[in-house]
Amino acid sequence: MCDHSSHQLGQGGREDERACEERVLDPGRRRALLEGLFGAGWLGLRSLATGVPVALLANPRRALAADDPACFSKTNAQYLILSTSGSGDPLNANVPGTYAFPTIAHSLDPLMAKTSFKLGSTTVEAAMPWSTLPQTVLDRTTFFHHTTLTNNHANQPKVMKLMGGTRRDEMLPSFFASQLAPCLGTVQHEPVVVGASGSGEFLSYQGRVLPALSPSALRDTLANPAGPLGTLQALRDADLDRLNAVFKAHGTAAQRTYLDRLAQTQGEARGISQQLLENLTAITGNDPTNQVLAAVTLIKMNVSPVVSMHIPFGGDNHTDADLAGETKQTVAATATIALLMQKLTDLGLQDRVTFAAMNVFGRTLAKKGTTGRDHLANHHATVMIGKGLRGGVVGGLVPQAGDFAAMPIVSATGLGDPAGDIAFSDTLSAMGKTLGTALGVSSAALDETIMLGKPVKSALAA
């Protein structure tokens, strides 16, 4: 596993990729990576092959139908694929809500033309690339305007902790992972980071910085000719034979019926193996497209509740003539999101995975026109897409100090309003609570860990 955290970054801001991949290909490191991802004895892969939960494989004589007491709702629990950037990309600059003011600068490139489209029943205006997402995706897409309370790259970890808004100094993705893992039965509770960009973002879990797994390392570990995906059918047969023997000797009729209902057929195991191999062999590098392939594969393998990746939307574009870089990356970014949604659908995960894009801060909207954008603490926009969300826009903007700021929010309607019951300074935490609710995290857990704000009811699906 390639660690791109700060203590291993070399000259130029990142570890030498080729040397890193050569170490991953070493048989000993490959075994360590497999056990790190799938647990001792490859329980995660065996669960994938059989259709039987990891806990049941590990302890087959345990009461089968009992819910994990730490799980709030298995029905509502969602996986999360999170895109984050320490660069402070201009993600906020071209989304719905930013076209209401003529002084907000936008690229004049026809590819970024102001375009009307629908988010659910709401008609909005935004840059054309957002309108190209399938309507089924737009119907569950929420654009959430908020502050991040910082304009400093180095505060990316603090933004992940809602700028001091979480108890125990816990990062939001790690809190979500700890809550969702018992419900989803994942191999590990920790998030998985794929494709670190070298732009300053990282995640931690219980105080430990998480290493980054490159998509190419995942491909070379799982999709090589002797890789474990080629043995899924054999793993399935051996485990089901073992479980059937246990339940024939010790189980009840109801337990045996439960096992039969869970178990994958040989054809199903073969189909899963083929789908995952096709995704893995399509990986050609470590860019966002390849991160998508790695992320959906890890989710399908039930490795972790949360996978983090990096989709650039223009980077740290202080100088960007005609906003050309912003244009190019925004067009590419929305295409990457569309690819992610299609891959999730191909794997039958479209109703089980929520996507969010959340960065360290936003960029100025008016100050420099189309010559570039500086850091802006007062406004950012998080994009959230998933079954638990209703298409629309939360919050809004107001002119402030020569640029713009996010507005307070009315929690019942999602409208930006100076008298809103979610104060400007609490909008970041409100975004976190809204996302957590959409993921299926209990309101009690959200209130206990996220100390400020409240979920926005209008953004949540009924």
Side-chain angles (χ1 to χ4, degrees):
M1 188 176 293
C2 298
D3 190 335
H4 295 274
S5 58
S6 59
H7 63 281
Q8 291 204 8
L9 297 179
Q11 187 175 10
R14 67 177 62 198
E15 187 177 11
D16 181 78
E17 187 172 26
R18 179 175 297 179
C20 177
E21 300 305 329
E22 287 173 354
R23 290 201 302 279
V24 170
L25 289 173
D26 174 83
R29 291 185 61 84
R30 183 180 292 131
R31 283 193 299 272
L33 176 57
L34 285 170
E35 290 193 358
L37 288 173
F38 302 113
W42 297 3
L43 278 173
L45 280 175
R46 289 159 54 196
S47 175
L48 178 70
T50 59
V52 175
V54 168
L56 179 56
L57 286 170
N59 191 353
R61 297 182 67 175
R62 186 177 179 178
L64 293 177
D67 285 336
D68 190 315
C71 173
F72 173 69
S73 173
K74 289 186 178 181
T75 303
N76 295 329
Q78 293 268 300
Y79 298 90
L80 173 64
I81 295 178
L82 173 69
S83 172
T84 183
S85 172
S87 295
D89 293 52
L91 172 59
N92 65 316
N94 301 291
V95 299
T98 63
Y99 287 80
F101 300 89
T103 53
I104 292 181
H106 299 284
S107 168
L108 299 179
D109 191 306
L111 292 174
M112 295 288 282
K114 179 174 72 173
T115 304
S116 295
F117 58 96
K118 282 187 173 292
L119 297 173
S121 60
T122 304
T123 299
V124 299
E125 293 180 333
M128 183 187 295
W130 290 111
S131 73
T132 63
L133 293 174
Q135 191 60 50
T136 53
V137 173
L138 293 172
D139 287 343
R140 50 175 62 178
T141 299
T142 296
F143 293 87
F144 199 120
H145 295 271
H146 61 89
T147 177
T148 65
L149 302 171
T150 183
N151 63 1
N152 189 329
H153 293 292
N155 282 338
Q156 185 268 345
K158 292 183 179 180
V159 172
M160 290 292 114
K161 299 171 184 177
L162 304 180
M163 294 300 290
T166 60
R167 296 188 194 277
R168 297 176 295 277
D169 205 31
E170 188 168 14
M171 284 194 173
L172 193 65
S174 297
F175 162 61
F176 290 156
S178 69
Q179 293 294 310
L180 296 168
C183 299
L184 298 170
T186 53
V187 177
Q188 64 182 51
H189 287 210
E190 300 94 329
V192 174
V193 181
V194 296
S197 70
S199 58
E201 61 270 11
F202 67 87
L203 295 182
S204 64
Y205 185 82
Q206 296 181 350
R208 178 173 59 87
V209 175
L210 298 173
L213 169 67
S214 71
S216 54
L218 185 69
R219 173 202 63 204
D220 294 341
T221 301
L222 295 179
N224 67 81
L229 286 179
T231 68
L232 279 188
Q233 291 177 70
L235 289 172
R236 170 204 173 273
D237 294 345
D239 272 321
L240 289 182
D241 286 346
R242 178 176 64 88
L243 291 172
N244 279 318
V246 169
F247 292 119
K248 182 177 181 180
H250 304 286
T252 66
Q255 288 173 334
R256 288 192 290 271
T257 299
Y258 178 71
L259 179 62
D260 290 341
R261 179 163 54 86
L262 286 176
Q264 309 266 24
T265 66
Q266 283 188 329
E268 287 171 329
R270 186 184 307 114
I272 291 171
S273 176
Q274 186 60 37
Q275 280 183 312
L276 296 178
L277 282 170
E278 286 175 359
N279 276 338
L280 288 166
T281 55
I283 290 174
T284 58
N286 299 315
D287 64 12
T289 294
N290 291 295
Q291 291 174 44
V292 164
L293 297 175
V296 298
T297 299
L298 290 165
I299 295 289
K300 184 64 177 180
M301 288 180 160
N302 207 30
V303 171
S304 170
V306 177
V307 177
S308 170
M309 59 181 297
H310 174 73
I311 301 175
F313 277 84
D316 192 19
N317 65 335
H318 291 281
T319 301
D320 186 6
D322 299 322
L323 300 176
E326 180 178 311
T327 296
K328 180 179 179 180
Q329 290 195 13
T330 300
V331 171
T334 53
T336 300
I337 293 172
L339 173 66
L340 171 61
M341 296 301 150
Q342 184 58 56
K343 288 297 180 181
L344 291 174
T345 299
D346 292 345
L347 292 172
L349 296 170
Q350 68 274 18
D351 290 335
R352 301 194 65 200
V353 179
T354 294
F355 168 77
M358 170 189 175
N359 297 334
V360 61
F361 48 72
R363 312 295 298 198
T364 54
L365 300 174
K367 176 182 174 183
K368 299 178 72 172
T370 58
T371 65
R373 302 189 191 272
D374 289 340
H375 303 180
L376 183 63
N378 289 336
H379 179 254
H380 176 54
T382 289
V383 182
M384 302 183 282
I385 305 172
K387 181 183 178 181
L389 293 155
R390 179 181 289 125
V393 180
V394 173
L397 300 99
V398 61
Q400 185 180 97
D403 214 90
F404 287 83
M407 297 182 71
I409 299 168
V410 179
S411 63
T413 65
L415 295 176
D417 189 318
D421 57 319
I422 299 174
F424 165 80
S425 58
D426 294 345
T427 55
L428 175 61
S429 291
M431 181 280 299
K433 281 189 172 177
T434 304
L435 177 57
T437 303
L439 291 171
V441 179
S442 73
S443 58
L446 288 168
D447 288 340
E448 195 278 330
T449 297
I450 302 176
M451 297 178 287
L452 302 171
K454 59 183 71 174
V456 176
K457 297 176 183 177
S458 64
L460 300 167

